[in-house]
Amino acid sequence: MTGLRSFAVSLAPVLVLIAMWEGVARSGLLTPFLLPAFSVVIGRIWEDLLSGSLASAMALTTARALSGFSIAAVLGVSLGIVMAVSGAMRWFFDPIVSVGFPTPKIAFLPIIVLWLGLNDASVVAITALSPFFIIAINSHAGASGVDKQLLWAARSLGSKPGELMREIILPAATPQILTGLQIALPTAMIATLVSEMLTGVGGLGGQLLDAQRYADSPGLFAGVVEIAFVGTVLIRGVAFGRRRLLCWHSEGRAGATA
C-alpha cells in the first residue's frame, strides 16, 4: 500500500500536466496544428499500436540504445577501474578521457557513418561512444575512493591482486559505478534518437523525422510521448536494479525502507 501511495503521489504532477495540455488545446488559444489535444495524440498512439509500427519502432530504438549502452558499460567500467589501480594506464588514458568527456559525441556521427555506413552499426557505435566517458569517470572515481587502509590491511594479510579487486575494490566502487550507469543511460537514449533522426534509419527517431517531413503534428507529439514512455521505463528499470544490487549497502537499505 505504501508503494502504491507513493506511486500515485509521483504520478499526480504528470496527470496535472496532461489536464493542462488538454485544456489549453481545447480552449482554442492555439491551433490544433501547433498543439493537438492530448486525447488526439493518444488516439494516434493507439493507431500506431494497432498497426504494429509503434511496437517495431520501440523495439528497434530500445535494442540500439541498450546495445550501445552495454558496450559502453563494459568498456567504461573496465577502463575506469584499470586507471584507478594502474599508474601507467592512468597516465596514458587520463588526458584522452579529459578531452573526450566534454566533446559533443554526435559530432563524430559523420565519421562513423563514413566508416560503417547508414545502418544499425553506426547508431550503436555513436550510442556507445556518448555515455562511455561518463561511465569511465564515475568508475575511476569509485575505484580510486576505496579506503587505502583496507587495501593495506588486505595486502599485509597476503591477499593477491585478484582477491583485492573482487573482495574490496569492486564492492566499494559499486555505488559510484551504478551512479555513472544511471546518468549514462539517458545519454545513450538521447544519442540513439538523435542518430536515428539524422540518419533516417527507422526507430522512434526515424518516425519523428517522417512526421516532421510530412507536417504531421499529432505524429510529432505522439513520438515525444512514446519516447518519454520508453525512457521512463528504462530509467526505472536501472533504478530498480540498483536497489537490488545494493541491498547489502546502507544506500540500498535506506531506499528499501523509504
Side-chain angles (χ1 to χ4, degrees):
M1 291 302 296
T2 303
L4 290 175
R5 191 179 301 112
S6 62
F7 175 75
V9 171
S10 63
L11 195 61
V14 178
L15 296 177
V16 171
L17 180 61
I18 291 173
M20 293 174 60
W21 177 355
E22 185 74 15
V24 172
R26 296 292 182 183
S27 68
L29 294 175
L30 297 173
T31 65
F33 180 78
L34 293 178
L35 184 65
F38 182 77
S39 55
V40 174
V41 173
I42 291 298
R44 176 58 181 272
I45 294 174
W46 179 250
E47 292 176 4
D48 293 342
L49 184 62
L50 292 179
S51 67
S53 62
L54 175 56
S56 61
M58 277 188 173
L60 185 57
T61 297
T62 303
R64 288 167 172 169
L66 291 181
S67 297
F69 175 74
S70 300
I71 295 171
V74 172
L75 297 180
V77 170
S78 301
L79 178 62
I81 293 176
V82 168
M83 288 174 59
V85 300
S86 171
M89 297 296 286
R90 183 167 59 254
W91 168 82
F92 182 81
F93 282 105
D94 187 65
I96 298 175
V97 174
S98 299
V99 172
F101 175 68
T103 303
K105 314 308 179 295
I106 201 65
F108 294 97
L109 182 60
I111 299 174
I112 292 176
V113 170
L114 178 65
W115 290 347
L116 303 179
L118 284 172
N119 49 41
D120 286 351
S122 295
V123 178
V124 171
I126 199 69
T127 301
L129 180 63
S130 295
F132 168 76
F133 295 97
I134 298 174
I135 297 173
I137 289 173
N138 278 272
S139 300
H140 175 260
S144 300
V146 178
D147 190 347
K148 299 299 186 266
Q149 292 184 354
L150 291 176
L151 297 175
W152 295 335
R155 289 194 184 100
S156 67
L157 294 174
S159 296
K160 298 178 180 179
E163 294 173 334
L164 289 175
M165 180 66 65
R166 185 175 60 255
E167 302 295 336
I168 297 178
I169 296 177
L170 280 179
T174 295
Q176 187 74 20
I177 291 173
L178 293 177
T179 297
L181 294 177
Q182 278 189 289
I183 298 171
L185 181 57
T187 304
M189 189 69 183
I190 292 170
T192 300
L193 292 167
V194 173
S195 300
E196 289 176 346
M197 293 181 67
L198 292 177
T199 58
V201 291
L204 293 176
Q207 283 192 343
L208 276 178
L209 181 63
D210 290 339
Q212 180 189 22
R213 285 173 176 172
Y214 296 104
D216 181 7
S217 180
L220 281 172
F221 283 88
V224 172
V225 173
E226 292 160 5
I227 291 169
F229 173 78
V230 173
T232 300
V233 170
L234 291 178
I235 292 172
R236 293 283 185 178
V238 172
F240 177 80
R242 178 192 179 97
R243 290 194 299 270
R244 293 302 181 190
L245 290 174
L246 294 181
C247 59
W248 54 271
H249 195 268
S250 58
E251 176 185 333
R253 291 194 298 269
T257 58

